[in-house]
Amino acid sequence: MIRTTLHPPVPLRRRGLAPLLAALACPTLACPTLARAQEAAPEPIPRTTRHELASRGGHPFRVFLHVPAGEPPPEGWPMITVLDANAVMGLVVDTIRVLAFLPREAGIRSAAVVAGIGYRTDDPYDLVRRSFDLTPPPGREMPAAEGRPAMRTGGADELLDFIEETVKPLARRAAPIDASRHAVLGHSFGGLFALHALFTRPGAFRDYVAGSPAIWWEDSAVLTSAERFIARTDRPAPLRLLMTVGAYEQSLAPWHDPAWRPRMEMMRMVDGARELADRLRPLPGLELGFETLPDDGHMSAFPVAVQRGLRFILSR
């Protein structure tokens, strides 16, 4: 005989049921308790390492180094140095990965090693540091004003030294590099830096992408360097320059504050870039591209400059 023992029902307390009922009542992602248990781990940028380094002058940098998958070209990978990497390193790497998936359809030769120059912050920009690193010498001391901290300018040559002495060797240790296909890509002050590098150290890179370059900076002093570059008889060749600028960097977009108009007119971002392009275009040995981005202001022009710039660099 099998005996069946019936236990008296266990009393259910409303307080004990509360967590269970709450879990059943809300979707997983909407429930704080369950969401904490299923928090996603951050996904790093594919095939990219991070390096905490310092320049000869002791200025700290965070360098992001991306090496593509697969076999390099026989002559080695092209190398692209990207400025403001905290803001756009992921965009740059993903764009190259997309283009290189079908390179012939995309009109490029191969993927590339990317060295992103960034800072030891989780923010997209370090405004104080980039104001020093990306602007040409001699620079000046700028006191704090209108909520902006005090800062120095004029450190572009120190950054160029850092790229030559530290960043390029770092990349060469990680992957075979084609020494004839170095490029630099920057926006705003980064675009100014790219122009300064072209005009003062044209042998440092073959390809220069200057998105929305701040030509107006310090009374357009970079134009003096441009004239010296134009007058040189020993310019290396080939050299390639792409300049882009948003149409709404000199005129008001529908979303702009009308109070910005006087400053935009003073900076002459579109006219200044176009005039410099016209001045450089006749130079033998320099392949020049210039593009006005019709729907973009200063910040939205950066991602577009990345896309245009990467195709420009990798197409040759």
Side-chain angles (χ1 to χ4, degrees), residues 16 18 39 69 94 116 137 164 186 192 194 209 214 216 234 236 240 258 281 286 295 301 304 308:
E39 284 179 357
D94 282 343
E164 290 295 328
L192 176 65
V209 176
W216 58 272
D234 61 344
R240 305 175 71 237
R281 189 169 285 110
L286 176 65
D295 301 317
V304 184
R308 301 286 201 277

Side-chain angles (χ1 to χ4, degrees), residues 163-215:
I163 292 169
E164 290 295 328
E165 297 169 1
T166 304
V167 177
K168 288 184 179 181
L170 176 72
R172 287 195 295 266
R173 290 193 295 271
I177 302 294
D178 183 349
S180 70
R181 296 182 68 199
H182 283 293
V184 62
L185 186 157
H187 171 262
S188 191
F189 275 171
L192 176 65
F193 176 93
L195 292 177
H196 173 73
L198 171 64
F199 298 151
T200 62
R201 302 192 197 184
F205 307 96
R206 184 196 69 171
D207 303 310
Y208 299 78
V209 176
S212 305
I215 295 169

Side-chain angles (χ1 to χ4, degrees), residues 241-273:
L241 169 64
L242 173 66
M243 277 196 290
T244 64
V245 63
Y248 287 131
E249 297 193 56
Q250 189 167 319
S251 61
L252 290 175
W255 59 86
H256 281 161
D257 183 339
W260 297 353
R261 185 190 301 275
R263 182 166 176 80
M264 296 171 78
E265 292 176 349
M266 178 276 294
M267 292 189 294
R268 301 182 69 250
M269 293 288 291
V270 177
D271 289 345

Side-chain angles (χ1 to χ4, degrees), residues 44-51 63-67 89-90 93 114 116:
I45 300 171
R47 300 187 61 82
T48 301
T49 53
R50 190 171 80 179
H51 306 263
V63 175
F64 303 87
L65 185 65
H66 169 76
V67 177
M89 187 67 185
V93 169
V114 181

